[in-house]
């Protein structure tokens, strides 16, 4: 295993391959700070962001009329409604 670094070095020299320069930690940190500034994010120690607010509760629906059933379409995630009396479906919630 000790000969692998030497073989690699010899290969790179004989094929005129130069390693890519590694960015410095300072360079990475400066890029991170610039990105945060562009996004309007304050660095640690700055003012705390406002607390997240809970979403409003869903509207209170009354029970479905007799013979109706609500299901979720797996493709879209949207609710649809089945009328078992007429054997039809619809996207709009029945009254």
């Amino acid at each position: 295993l000790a000969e692998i670094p030497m073989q690699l070095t010899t290969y790179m020299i004989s094929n005129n391959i130069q390693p890519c320069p590694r960015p410095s930690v300072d360079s990475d940190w400066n890029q991170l700070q610039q990105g945060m500034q562009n996004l309007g994010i304050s660095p640690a120690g700055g003012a705390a962001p406002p607390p997240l607010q809970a979403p409003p509760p869903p509207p209170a629906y009354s029970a479905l009329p007799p013979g109706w059933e609500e299901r979720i379409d797996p493709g879209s995630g949207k609710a649809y409604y089945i009328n078992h009396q007429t054997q039809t479906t619809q996207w709009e919630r029945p009254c």
Side-chain angles (χ1 to χ4, degrees):
L1 201 55
E3 65 273 0
I4 291 176
M6 187 59 176
Q7 289 172 346
L8 181 59
T9 303
T10 304
Y11 174 82
M12 292 179 71
I13 292 170
S14 64
N15 290 290
N16 199 25
I17 299 172
Q18 298 293 320
C20 295
R22 294 185 72 172
S24 69
V25 174
D26 291 336
S27 167
D28 291 346
W29 179 249
N30 291 338
Q31 287 180 352
L32 176 63
Q33 286 183 321
Q34 183 64 42
M36 290 174 62
Q37 188 177 26
N38 291 344
L39 294 172
I41 301 171
S42 63
L52 296 176
Q53 295 180 350
Y61 289 115
S62 59
L64 291 170
W68 285 89
E69 177 186 359
E70 178 180 328
R71 290 198 185 167
I72 302 297
D73 176 55
S76 67
K78 290 177 50 178
Y80 67 97
Y81 303 91
I82 303 170
N83 183 333
H84 291 286
Q85 294 172 351
T86 62
Q87 297 182 348
T88 58
T89 61
Q90 65 185 46
W91 291 107
E92 297 81 27
R93 185 177 177 85
C95 300

